[in-house]
Amino acid sequence: MPESTESTNAGWYPDPWDGRRQRYWDGSQWTEHIHPAAEQSAPPKKRRRGLVIGLVSGGVAVLAVLALVATFVVVPAVTGTQAAVYTDRSTLYDYTDEMPELERRHEFTIDADYDLDTVNAEHWAAVGAEPGEGETPDSWALQVFYDEALTKPADFMTYQSDPGDDVTVTGNELGVAFGGNAPDGGLPIMDEQVPGYDGYQISSWGLHEEYFLVNRVEKDGTERAKPLVTRFTVASELDAPDVTFSDPGGDGTMDVSWTPVEGATEYLIIVSSDSTTEGGSESLVAEVEGTEWSSATEVSDIDITPWVDTQNVNLQAFDYLVGTDDSRSEDPSGVDDENSRPSFDIGVVATDGTHFSPYKPYDLVQTSGSLPYEVAFYANRDLKKWGASGYIEGIENVQTELPFTSIDGRTRSTVAYLDPVGVVEYDDRWVVPLRGRGTLLGEWVPITKRSTPDLAAAIAQFNAAAEAAAPSTGMPRFTAYEPPADADSEPLSEAPPTDYPVYGSTEFTKYLAQHMIAQTTSIDISAFVGTPGAPDPYDAANEARYQNPYVMNVNYLGLRDDGDTLLVSYAIPTDEVKTMQASLKQRIDEVVGAVTTEDMTAAEKVTALNDWLVGNAVYDDVAFAALQADPSTTPLGYEAAWNATGTLLQGTGVCASYAYAFTALANAAGVQTVVVSGDVLSGGAHAWNKSLIDGSWLAVDTTWNDGGGDPATYLMIPDSGFTGDAERVEGPYWMIDSSIPVYATP
């Protein structure tokens, strides 16, 4: 931490407010830019060597073509005198002028007096990650990303004929969006193909809307004080559609809809993966003439069953060897090998048959990772209670939950129910369909007749008991509302004043939260975007709505004006919200004043507020049932169950209301507290809290503390304290990505 505002150089230092992360000092003051303290990581250990020395892949295996050497076109070097270099001392980077609308086959030439392979190898050796024999050094000196946070590597190649020669950087994106007809029904590709390489189109950009070329070394090969970043875009004939995801049927099916694109006659639904060991790849899921598509047809089933074996086929965002935590083999070696785990995106490409839009990537895990893929074989097997007959003896021995592997590869569970419609009768047993709520999945369960003579009555009793035993969760799976009606209005650039507390880890988040408290529908964010390292707008917007209890029921977030405007819509009219906010503030002040005192410790305040909330609120089972009918949205008429007014003003709500209420109370009492959202693996999407107690962020789940047992069961516990049916994983939306590790308490 800088000790003087006069002499300390700009750079990253331990955050004075939280030493487990770093905050940027611009030479005179702290900025909002933060990242985890452990920024440096080793490269993947098993990258495959390219076919030609001098071609280095940025995140993909290289397709080397010798004839390519003769086609290079020299362009001004981004580090040369032709390009002005700008320094923004609030970030970790220098950057050049942006380069918009480049040709798809544009090539960057970097002025270099060094050997690129040697520079890369020396860097990784210096950080203790020297490649093994036969392995190619991971690219470090030159990198290309397709997100401004510089976290998602784009496919590219570098070429240097001899040490000391200029280095050429070209695109290496497979031709998903570029037309033509691939052999064997594969993906569309460009008409210009390189013979002998199965139609792969190399040396092309344009799969994404924007790119960031990062140069980390000087001309002589020494490391730059700050990496030099050049943002560039590629000319596209059609605009990329904006995509919305939903599950309106409540059966675990993903529905995708998008804005129509002028001139487009067809749309391609693409899933892309980026494996750190095997390279990137793209898959064509569907070709659609309209603006909607559903994964309802993407199933694998057997004709005689009332369920499917697999749903959301072609959408799994995991590799069976490393990406799923269901023990699929008795020796699940390699599982949870983070260096090998691929990442997956989904998007829609617009086309008129000749011209193509860019592919705007949406993180498949974030948009729909919790949706079901198939029954988790081993986890499901372990729940069976077989009798001496080899069947289940007594319906009370049937499992009340159905484990499934979700799209993100995790093993989750859902409430099981017996389907009386598909029962098959054999000599000495009933064979009953056991199905999972919120999925299309199921299995056969054999039950002896002698143990269950009245099957219909037993099924009704079983289903009621299974539902009653389900964990209390209650977060919608998707947000699927329409943008605000006044989406074309002039965006507001000045945040309206507010009488309510505003929370956020960055100034960007606080700015958005202040607008959302006032229910601004069109927000000018141009001052906060476009800087490498700045929070993603959706990240900042989601944090603003999760961490601010005076923000009521946001149900749509979208970008406009090339990302300079954030559109927001709200479920409750502004006049009603103003009244609710005033009443909420009054109630919070009353409760905090009644149950806490200034001389209490943080732990004592958290205990007192937990006890008050548990004693004065009840879980809203009716609202939760309404959510089950359509888990994609907050049910109309039950909005209060998903904001702090439900539990604080009406005395009832689901987990979201408990979490928002607790964070409002605790922060008002002077205890730093945040809302956390994620998935209870045995039950579904959920929300809880973390409070800063004696330097550690400890979890508090007031919803589950209100379950009729010990109200301190889930009070100030570490992350590892959630065990058994309470085991859970945190989601990505409640806080900007760079800050989430700060709140971990193993």
Side-chain angles (χ1 to χ4, degrees), residues 82-297:
Q82 301 93 333
V85 177
Y86 297 91
T87 299
D88 181 353
R89 294 178 63 84
S90 68
T91 73
L92 188 61
Y93 307 96
D94 290 338
Y95 54 94
T96 70
D97 286 329
E98 296 182 357
M99 302 179 69
E101 300 295 296
L102 301 179
E103 296 293 328
R104 291 194 186 276
R105 302 198 63 163
H106 181 85
E107 293 163 347
F108 296 93
T109 299
I110 309 300
D111 192 7
D113 290 339
Y114 54 80
D115 176 33
L116 181 62
D117 284 349
T118 299
V119 168
N120 283 328
E122 289 178 346
H123 166 77
W124 292 119
V127 297
E130 186 173 4
E133 183 179 355
E135 295 178 343
T136 301
D138 189 64
S139 180
W140 167 77
L142 297 166
Q143 293 176 296
V144 182
F145 300 89
Y146 62 85
D147 68 320
E148 64 187 14
L150 308 183
T151 61
K152 297 183 177 181
D155 296 351
F156 74 101
M157 294 190 302
T158 55
Y159 175 80
Q160 185 180 39
S161 56
D162 291 299
D165 287 351
D166 291 342
V167 178
T168 303
V169 180
T170 67
N172 188 42
E173 297 187 316
L174 309 188
V176 177
F178 305 140
N181 294 306
D184 303 322
L187 295 172
I189 55 178
M190 289 187 72
D191 293 332
E192 300 179 26
Q193 298 177 16
V194 180
Y197 283 87
D198 298 328
Y200 286 123
Q201 173 59 40
I202 65 174
S203 287
S204 292
W205 308 101
L207 188 61
H208 299 99
E209 287 193 304
E210 61 180 355
Y211 301 88
F212 298 86
L213 171 61
V214 180
N215 185 351
R216 300 183 183 277
V217 297
E218 301 284 3
K219 180 181 178 181
D220 63 1
T222 59
E223 184 175 356
R224 292 179 54 89
K226 293 183 180 182
L228 185 68
V229 178
T230 299
R231 178 185 180 273
F232 65 96
T233 61
V234 177
S236 297
E237 299 83 4
L238 298 172
D239 294 331
D242 291 321
V243 182
T244 300
F245 303 88
S246 62
D247 176 22
D251 57 6
T253 295
M254 182 171 68
D255 281 20
V256 184
S257 60
W258 53 89
T259 54
V261 173
E262 184 177 358
T265 58
E266 189 178 37
Y267 300 88
L268 311 177
I269 298 174
I270 306 295
V271 170
S272 67
S273 67
D274 173 30
S275 170
T276 57
T277 60
E278 298 299 327
S281 65
E282 287 75 33
S283 301
L284 178 62
V285 177
E287 300 179 49
V288 181
E289 292 185 356
T291 58
E292 297 179 348
W293 176 81
S294 172
S295 68
T297 58

Side-chain angles (χ1 to χ4, degrees), residues 660-681:
Y660 287 134
F662 185 77
T663 198
L665 292 169
N667 278 303
V671 182
Q672 292 186 55
T673 298
V674 295
V675 173
V676 183
S677 68
D679 278 289
V680 174
L681 299 183

Side-chain angles (χ1 to χ4, degrees), residues 449-529:
K449 286 184 177 179
R450 59 180 173 76
S451 68
T452 313
D454 187 349
L455 182 64
I459 286 178
Q461 184 176 4
F462 171 87
N463 289 341
E467 188 68 35
S472 300
T473 53
M475 293 295 284
R477 184 174 281 136
F478 291 100
T479 298
Y481 286 83
E482 296 297 323
D486 57 347
D488 294 328
S489 63
E490 187 70 21
L492 294 180
S493 58
E494 185 173 344
T498 181
D499 295 327
Y500 306 108
V502 178
Y503 304 105
S505 63
T506 69
E507 291 303 316
F508 189 13
T509 303
K510 294 175 184 176
Y511 170 81
L512 294 176
Q514 200 163 331
H515 272 293
M516 291 179 184
I517 289 172
Q519 300 219 143
T520 306
T521 57
S522 184
I523 306 172
D524 183 350
I525 60 173
S526 59
F528 296 91
V529 297

